[in-house]
Amino acid sequence: MAQMQTPNVQMPPSRAFTFHLDFEGLGWLTIDVPDAPVNTLSRETLAELAGIVTALEEMASSGELKGVVLLSGKDSGFIAGADITEFDEMSDPGVLRAALDRAHGLFDRIEALKVPVVAGIHGFCLGGGLELALACHYRVAVNDDRTRLGFPEVNLGIFPGFGGSGRSIRQAGPVDAMQIMLTGKLLRASPARRMGLVDKLVRVRDTLRWEARKAVLQARKSSPAPFTKRVMALGPVRGYVANKMRAEVGRKAKPEHYPAPYSLIELFEQHGDDWRAMKRGEAERFIPLMNSNTSKNLRRVFFLSEGLKKQGVRGKDKPVFRRVHVIGAGVMGGDIAAWCALRGMGVTLQDLDMERIKPALDRAKALFRKRLRSKTEIDNAVARLEADVTGKGLARADVVIEAVVENLEIKRKIFAEAELKTRPGAILATNTSSIELERIAENLTAPGRLIGLHFFNPVAQLPLVEVIRSRFNADADIARGAAFALAIGKSPVVVKSAPGFLVNRVLMPYMLGAVQRVEAGANKEQIDAAAVAFGMPMGPIELMDTVGLDVGKSVAEELGNPVAPDSQFARLIADRKLGRKTGQGFYTWSNGKAVKGEVPPHPDLAGLGRELVQPLVNATAVAVAEGVVASDDLADIGVIYGTGFAPFLGGPMQARKDGRA
Amino acid sequence: MAELRKVAIVGSARIPFARAYTGYAEEGNLTMLGAALGGLVEKYNLRGEHIGEVMAGAVLSHSRDFNLAREASLDAGLSPRTPGTNVQIACGTSLQAALALGAKIAIGEIDSAIAAGTDTVSDSPVVFGDKFQHRAINLSRARTTGEKLKAFKGFNLGELTPVAPSTQEPRTGLSMGQHCELMARQWDISREEQDALALRSHQNAARAYDEGFHDDLVVPFAGVLKDNNVRADTSLEKMATMKPAFDKQSGHGTLTAANSTPLTDGAASVLLASEDWARARGLPVLAYLTLGQVAANDFAGGEGLLMAPTIAVSEMLRRSNLTFADIDLFEIHEAFAAQVLATLKAWRDPDYNRVTLGRDTPLGEIDPDRINVRGSSLAYGHPFAATGARILGLTAKSLATSGKQRALISVCTAGGMGVAALVERAA
Ligand SMILES: NC(=O)c1ccc[n+]([C@@H]2O[C@H](COP(=O)([O-])OP(=O)(O)OC[C@H]3O[C@@H](n4cnc5c(N)ncnc54)[C@H](O)[C@@H]3O)[C@@H](O)[C@H]2O)c1
């Protein structure tokens, strides 16, 4: 910094960027958007960059600038993407077209600068941030746990719009580039380097600038993907590759619900062999996507989920969660324990004897093997999860989660002991599905300490945790519960202690309604297909089988819907045909899959689906009206995360407002 | 010269110790030491803070880590103005670092310091034999093809057998364990006594863990949350089944894997400061580091490789006019159970006291209930250079929480050396 040179060219003023020219002729351009935790590319920031690039062009032609290094001044990372808060106002096709043209023009000018431009990347480099990095001539990234590169646009119903579709294909080749754009999957440093998105890795952030300097002085230029990769986009191969991509995407998303990936594949099919043409073709397809209801709703879902992350306790009182004690090693307790250990907590798992804990430990091992990369990581996770028959983990636990059989007396006894043995600050939580929280808590010395943390089965797959609030709880108790859910990577939604909480309460009438239709003679395959056509991830009958008919029955009863003893439902249960777990329920299950017959034709499957979800939407509205959840927003995100309810519709409340459910 | 200042021990942080080739198989000294220092940074809010000096070392070290202490300080987020010095005196490394830094604080050269150590066997440098090493150097300097060929004259494939890093004594060619076997025989230490001491170490350490004593001393690293060598459930019966580890032939062997420290990976650090510096930042003073002593013996002449701490402790007590009766807690590093037992026996032995320590009255007996009351290296494991800092951190917290007044630390090292320190309770 000491030997800063004063450039002869006037740099325009900027809020987000600082620039200095050093005595070697290197220009150091640092982005640090004020009053923001992460850098994003707002229209204002891009406009500032455009002014700066004009100055850089002059300095480059006058010879006083040897090269440019773009770094971020934020600890959180490089650039997290375009500024999504501006998307709504930018959706107007006229406005958007102009904005995209400006951004394309700007990135093209950066790429065309006569001096080397190098991006130094740490932390998040996503979406528009990655597109900007790809417009630089060379990319250096920090090889640590926090570096992430990728294109999450597809989760917002769009795809890269600042030239990233073409440029990523140029650097990484068509297959890898399309893969990351279609899935939104974020890459760590090493895979990004292997893929060609990054040219060089360094160990620590300090080294970024030195490696970037070297790159400038040696005028290094990233080489595009080799022919062996590009060949997948040439001639007739491209059509074949595109079809494979469509089939892959089709397994997860329907074109009528999620058009963005399909539109991107079409763009690729048209221009995949010519990255410039692909880049030019972006805007035309991008504009209608941005303006679609799907994208609007997905943006809203994104903001709602970001909102969930802001719950919990921040600042200096932010609790540290290191040790979790789980009581009950059954279906739920075992999987909750495994999940917590996977996420880095030290876990003690208690049950009546070792035989009951052992299967949970085996399941945990399988989970670790699936989710972790190296043997050391797996071994360390295994070591974090300890069987604890005597309950000695209780005393040092930061969080106690009870998941024993659904029996009030047993639960009361457990918490009476836990209250005595745990540290005063430790969270006491029950995973009960149906016992009123107040009844478990009422005999405690401090009944406000007990909260509900209601996980969903299968724990490893479902992102939602309902944080159940009893009338004894203070805000701080609930905030700490939410903080814990966040600490293990789950999304907390606060729900009042009321039968069925939120998710079971809205699911049950929908599932029972569907069961009734089947009992009355409707075709179950058709019912399930209709729900999927509407936008549910799985049909209600298949869902009942997955949850377990016995579980479904007990939740139904708890919600005041006893199962008629002469029904098919009751007979299946009596015959121990409980669904997926016994191999037979409404469906026969084979290798974890329901064996389904042909779906009989129906003139309007999606319409039928819409009818089927009516009870769910109604129940959600009632839950909001009764204050079970605090707002429409929370109900929507809770139901989306808890049931998979069509995110492209923005959740049940939004869908109803839009007249779509 | 101005009056000497007190040296405050603010606290410590270490990563869990892991048996070699387990939890840290993918880590190295730099990342481990960085994490231990990072633990201090977190705990005492030292991000961007200029610490007077960081002194740290590793016994087994890659040449790329020539500035280990400095690099780890930068990784940990201390101010770039914090100097880092590498030091090394085998297993005494981080205790010696604390003594050196303590002296600098006492005379007012610096106000704050971090003493630390790290070692990993899992990532130790593998080198080729001398012959091949020289060939490689000659080759790299060779200019003509002739010279290059000459560099390989007489080459045989055996030269390529990597030489594992060795903790063998260069002067005697014996390993540490073989030396300790000799001490056990010389001092007539039985296998049973050794096993009993090892058992007690594990039980004490396990109890300390269960009581949560380590909860604010150990910071998670690389997914490891706690030491993996502490065995709460071990027993004398189990230990009795072990075969001698070092003297497998003579039939006299008494040292086994159960009463010797395992090869261990880990790193530990201690924050030292002047009282003013700590007070100004609202940081605690757990204890004072009041005295230190390093000593060596004629191990090559037969004095017992790991017996030098007897001298260091004797000299230190002589300087301070203290006797064993004045010490409430003894932290005697357990390289081997036999080493601790031989040391204790030597302190009681009139001849040894007279001849080796120059004392007419023996230092005498130590109440076993004052020794390693929270277990020591047999249980926690022994990442060589990290052990001193582990012990110093544990000792300071022990004094602060137990109401005891004074603790003595002794650590034996390779090369017939020993480091001792005295720690006193604050307030
Ligand atoms: N199964 C689900 O889908 C689901 C979903 C959310 C919440 N829940 C709730 O989770 C809890 C557990 O349900 P589950 O399906 O895992 O039951 P489960 O029957 O699979 O497991 C219960 C376990 O608790 C153990 N147990 C009983 N008494 C105990 C005691 N005194 N101390 C320690 N362990 C004891 C049992 O041995 C058994 O291993 C219930 O409260 C249930 O309402 C279940």
Side-chain angles (χ1 to χ4, degrees):
Chain A
M1 286 296 254
Q3 283 104 332
M4 209 198 284
Q5 309 288 299
T6 318
N8 295 321
V9 178
Q10 185 66 37
M11 266 291 151
S14 164
R15 278 162 42 84
F17 293 93
T18 52
F19 178 84
H20 82 267
L21 185 65
D22 74 12
F23 58 88
E24 290 188 293
L26 269 79
W28 299 89
L29 183 60
T30 304
I31 176 167
D32 191 348
V33 176
D35 310 318
V38 295
N39 289 321
T40 53
L41 297 177
S42 64
R43 278 177 292 181
E44 184 192 344
T45 300
L46 286 172
E48 288 177 4
L49 185 57
I52 290 168
V53 169
T54 305
L56 294 176
E57 284 163 344
E58 285 178 43
M59 288 162 66
S61 44
S62 79
E64 74 177 310
L65 182 69
K66 295 281 179 310
V68 181
V69 179
L70 174 60
L71 297 167
S72 157
K74 289 208 191 295
D75 284 342
S76 57
F78 184 70
I79 299 169
D83 183 354
I84 303 169
T85 60
E86 291 183 345
F87 281 16
D88 281 352
E89 39 181 304
M90 277 172 61
S91 297
D92 176 84
V95 176
L96 185 54
R97 165 60 82 172
L100 290 177
D101 287 350
R102 275 197 307 275
H104 274 252
L106 171 59
F107 285 20
D108 288 350
R109 279 168 60 205
I110 293 172
E111 200 165 63
L113 270 173
K114 285 199 216 87
V115 295
V117 184
V118 178
I121 299 162
H122 70 276
F124 287 112
C125 174
L126 309 179
L130 180 52
E131 293 179 281
L132 175 55
L134 285 169
C136 298
H137 302 132
Y138 194 82
R139 286 157 291 280
V140 185
V142 176
N143 189 11
D144 71 11
D145 272 359
R146 302 191 339 169
T147 299
R148 290 288 185 290
L149 292 90
F151 291 116
E153 283 89 342
V154 65
N155 299 322
L156 299 174
I158 52 176
F159 57 69
F162 291 166
S165 63
R167 287 197 177 94
S168 65
I169 284 186
R170 179 186 67 191
Q171 294 311 125
V175 174
D176 286 344
M178 286 297 285
Q179 172 76 14
I180 58 172
M181 288 188 281
L182 290 173
T183 59
K185 209 180 126 208
L186 306 188
L187 304 173
R188 291 162 181 273
S190 294
R193 160 87 185 73
R194 276 198 299 276
M195 206 176 266
L197 292 177
V198 166
D199 301 291
K200 180 92 188 176
L201 299 182
V202 296
R203 192 181 72 84
V204 290
R205 201 172 148 195
D206 272 347
T207 313
L208 276 183
R209 65 178 63 224
W210 297 97
E211 199 57 45
R213 170 181 173 274
K214 237 187 251 174
V216 167
L217 296 181
Q218 298 170 0
R220 284 191 217 152
K221 205 163 163 32
S222 177
S223 22
F227 180 74
T228 47
K229 282 188 171 186
R230 278 188 290 128
V231 66
M232 298 308 277
L234 298 184
V237 184
R238 190 161 75 251
Y240 169 79
V241 170
N243 281 333
K244 272 193 68 173
M245 290 173 183
R246 261 183 218 113
E248 181 75 22
V249 169
R251 256 179 259 153
K252 285 185 202 120
K254 292 177 180 299
E256 59 273 28
H257 299 155
Y258 299 99
Y262 295 92
S263 181
L264 178 63
I265 295 171
E266 277 170 31
L267 178 63
F268 168 74
E269 205 167 17
Q270 269 177 308
H271 299 302
D273 56 347
D274 177 353
W275 72 269
R276 285 190 187 83
M278 183 129 176
K279 182 165 69 82
R280 276 195 304 273
E282 251 179 27
E284 190 187 324
R285 293 176 169 279
F286 185 92
I287 292 168
L289 289 174
M290 182 82 147
N291 203 22
S292 67
N293 283 321
T294 291
S295 178
K296 260 181 223 149
N297 284 327
L298 291 179
R299 261 133 55 191
R300 176 161 170 275
V301 170
F302 171 80
F303 286 121
L304 294 179
S305 76
E306 287 296 297
L308 296 184
K309 291 183 195 151
K310 290 182 187 135
Q311 303 175 98
V313 189
R314 286 189 288 178
K316 74 170 184 17
D317 289 334
K318 189 175 169 197
V320 178
F321 300 107
R322 248 179 225 170
R323 279 175 293 273
V324 182
H325 184 70
V326 180
I327 308 173
V331 177
M332 292 305 290
D335 287 0
I336 292 169
W339 178 260
C340 292
L342 177 73
R343 301 294 308 204
M345 307 272 156
V347 182
T348 39
L349 178 56
Q350 185 180 4
D351 205 306
L352 299 173
D353 49 50
M354 197 55 207
E355 281 68 65
R356 289 173 214 244
I357 303 178
K358 181 83 181 27
L361 298 184
D362 292 341
R363 285 203 316 275
K365 229 176 256 180
L367 174 71
F368 302 153
R369 285 208 190 100
K370 210 166 128 202
R371 297 287 183 99
L372 299 173
R373 288 169 301 172
S374 70
K375 182 175 177 304
T376 311
E377 280 179 306
I378 295 165
D379 290 348
N380 288 348
V382 168
R384 289 195 293 270
L385 176 56
E386 289 176 75
D388 179 14
V389 177
T390 59
K392 77 182 165 92
L394 208 50
R396 286 167 64 219
D398 302 309
V399 184
V400 177
I401 301 174
E402 168 276 316
V404 303
V405 282
E406 201 69 331
N407 174 312
L408 176 63
E409 281 321 308
I410 298 179
K411 289 186 195 266
R412 277 186 174 165
K413 231 181 92 218
I414 284 171
F415 284 110
E417 184 189 345
E419 190 179 30
L420 288 178
K421 289 197 177 159
T422 48
R423 322 182 272 100
I427 294 178
L428 301 184
T430 172
N431 184 46
T432 183
S433 293
S434 61
I435 304 177
E436 216 184 317
L437 208 54
E438 283 82 355
R439 301 199 56 203
I440 307 176
E442 62 198 4
N443 293 340
L444 298 177
T445 320
R449 268 185 82 184
L450 182 72
I451 60 170
L453 286 176
H454 192 229
F455 289 79
F456 293 86
N457 188 15
V459 175
Q461 267 123 63
L462 293 176
L464 182 70
V465 170
E466 290 175 326
V467 180
I468 313 298
R469 176 167 195 157
S470 82
R471 62 183 163 82
F472 301 123
N473 294 130
D475 289 349
D477 300 318
I478 297 305
R480 283 188 314 128
F484 171 69
L486 290 168
I488 55 169
K490 295 288 180 193
S491 301
V493 170
V494 178
V495 179
K496 203 167 80 179
S497 169
F501 307 133
L502 174 65
V503 170
N504 286 345
R505 175 184 181 138
V506 306
L507 267 181
M508 256 324 128
Y510 154 71
M511 289 162 72
L512 292 175
V515 168
Q516 262 161 23
R517 283 176 189 249
V518 172
E519 301 232 355
N523 175 284
K524 60 181 189 296
E525 280 85 355
Q526 189 177 60
I527 295 282
D528 280 348
V532 172
F534 171 80
M536 302 302 282
M538 180 190 278
I541 304 297
E542 190 179 347
L543 180 61
M544 185 63 94
D545 265 9
T546 306
V547 168
L549 272 60
D550 52 340
V551 174
K553 174 171 178 276
S554 74
V555 179
E557 282 165 357
E558 183 222 337
L559 287 165
N561 296 306
V563 173
D566 57 346
S567 61
Q568 189 195 350
F569 192 7
R571 277 196 306 280
L572 284 170
I573 295 176
D575 296 345
R576 299 292 299 158
K577 292 179 175 166
L578 303 179
R580 182 184 162 154
K581 58 186 165 190
T582 59
Q584 176 72 50
F586 287 98
Y587 288 102
T588 301
W589 289 75
S590 153
N591 292 328
K593 284 210 162 69
V595 181
K596 288 189 183 174
E598 197 75 9
V599 178
H602 188 282
D604 180 14
L605 263 186
L608 173 59
R610 185 172 160 171
E611 258 173 58
L612 290 171
V613 300
Q614 281 302 322
L616 185 157
V617 181
N618 294 342
T620 308
V622 176
V624 177
E626 291 181 0
V628 172
V629 272
S631 64
D632 288 1
D633 283 356
L634 282 173
D636 276 344
I637 191 72
V639 174
I640 288 172
Y641 278 167
T643 72
F645 185 98
F648 68 93
L649 293 177
M653 300 303 282
Q654 186 65 36
R656 175 146 293 175
K657 273 177 226 162
D658 292 342
R660 297 175 76 191
Chain B
M1 197 166 110
E3 202 181 317
L4 291 182
R5 304 193 294 180
K6 281 186 160 180
V7 180
I9 303 174
V10 174
S12 64
R14 69 172 174 95
I15 59 172
F17 289 177
R19 296 170 68 98
Y21 315 112
T22 63
Y24 302 145
E26 291 157 27
E27 302 299 329
N29 275 327
L30 181 53
T31 57
M32 296 194 329
L33 182 60
L37 299 182
L40 285 182
V41 168
E42 266 313 293
K43 193 166 157 187
Y44 299 112
N45 209 1
L46 303 178
R47 189 156 297 279
E49 188 84 37
H50 173 189
I51 296 293
E53 184 170 355
V54 173
M55 215 180 252
V59 173
L60 302 174
S61 178
H62 284 273
S63 55
R64 62 164 186 254
D65 285 338
F66 64 92
N67 246 343
L68 182 63
R70 168 69 170 155
E71 291 294 333
S73 306
L74 290 169
D75 282 2
L78 293 170
S79 156
R81 299 193 168 218
T82 301
T85 304
N86 277 16
V87 292
Q88 209 265 77
I89 167 172
C91 313
T93 295
S94 46
L95 187 58
Q96 175 81 317
L99 296 179
L101 293 166
K104 290 184 179 216
I105 290 171
I107 63 170
E109 178 184 332
I110 53 176
D111 294 319
S112 61
I114 295 174
T118 174
D119 256 300
T120 165
V121 180
S122 308
D123 180 41
S124 46
V126 173
V127 293
F128 295 106
D130 281 350
K131 238 184 175 166
F132 189 76
Q133 205 99 326
H134 285 123
R135 277 189 206 284
I137 291 169
N138 288 340
L139 182 66
S140 72
R141 302 184 47 152
R143 303 211 180 279
T144 65
T145 317
E147 281 174 0
K148 281 181 186 158
L149 281 176
K150 213 172 124 209
F152 273 96
K153 209 173 145 215
F155 170 77
N156 80 61
L157 276 176
E159 292 178 25
L160 281 178
T161 314
V163 183
S166 144
T167 46
Q168 226 171 45
E169 280 301 326
R171 237 154 239 280
T172 63
L174 297 194
S175 73
M176 200 87 57
Q178 289 168 327
H179 269 290
C180 201
E181 276 288 1
L182 295 178
M183 285 160 51
R185 281 183 74 181
Q186 191 176 353
W187 287 95
D188 195 18
I189 309 291
S190 74
R191 162 88 181 257
E192 289 69 31
E193 281 176 276
Q194 296 178 43
D195 286 354
L197 187 131
L199 177 66
R200 215 172 72 101
S201 186
H202 281 283
Q203 288 170 341
N204 285 347
R207 192 173 347 96
Y209 252 106
D210 288 344
E211 286 166 357
F213 183 85
H214 293 290
D215 287 355
D216 64 345
L217 300 184
V218 174
V219 292
F221 176 59
V224 180
L225 303 180
K226 59 187 216 179
D227 304 331
N228 68 8
N229 190 57
V230 180
R231 300 263 177 279
D233 57 354
T234 191
S235 67
L236 290 178
E237 292 70 46
K238 267 189 222 167
M239 290 181 168
T241 64
M242 313 279 294
K243 297 241 167 349
F246 303 101
D247 180 354
K248 295 173 180 157
Q249 254 119 51
S250 80
H252 293 290
T254 56
L255 274 70
T256 67
N259 60 38
S260 313
T261 47
L263 291 174
T264 313
D265 304 339
S269 61
V270 180
L271 177 60
L272 305 172
S274 70
E275 289 177 289
D276 289 346
W277 188 90
R279 209 172 292 129
R281 281 160 187 74
L283 297 178
V285 176
L286 299 184
Y288 298 108
L289 180 59
T290 52
L291 221 52
Q293 186 84 45
V294 56
N297 71 2
D298 183 13
F299 72 102
E303 277 194 315
L305 181 74
L306 304 176
M307 295 301 284
T310 58
I311 306 174
V313 166
S314 172
E315 293 302 309
M316 186 171 75
L317 292 183
R318 202 193 309 277
R319 274 166 58 211
S320 56
N321 276 323
L322 294 172
T323 68
F324 280 167
D326 300 309
I327 312 287
D328 304 305
L329 295 172
F330 289 83
E331 278 295 335
I332 303 176
H333 159 54
E334 302 164 339
F336 302 88
Q339 176 266 327
V340 177
L341 293 163
T343 299
L344 295 176
K345 219 162 179 177
W347 279 329
R348 294 196 298 265
D349 186 88
D351 284 344
Y352 188 84
N353 272 271
R354 198 170 346 92
V355 177
T356 309
L357 305 181
R359 285 175 177 269
D360 293 334
T361 337
L363 275 165
E365 191 87 35
I366 300 174
D367 174 3
D369 289 341
R370 297 187 183 192
I371 303 175
N372 298 350
V373 297
R374 293 197 161 79
S376 189
S377 306
L378 286 169
Y380 296 115
H382 176 35
F384 313 120
T387 287
R390 174 189 70 73
I391 295 178
L392 188 57
L394 177 145
T395 303
K397 183 173 173 185
S398 290
L399 286 175
T401 54
S402 69
K404 301 279 200 281
Q405 192 53 44
R406 199 175 281 122
L408 181 149
I409 298 172
S410 113
V411 178
C412 59
T413 91
M417 301 189 282
V419 189
L422 210 56
V423 182
E424 304 211 24
R425 182 186 159 77

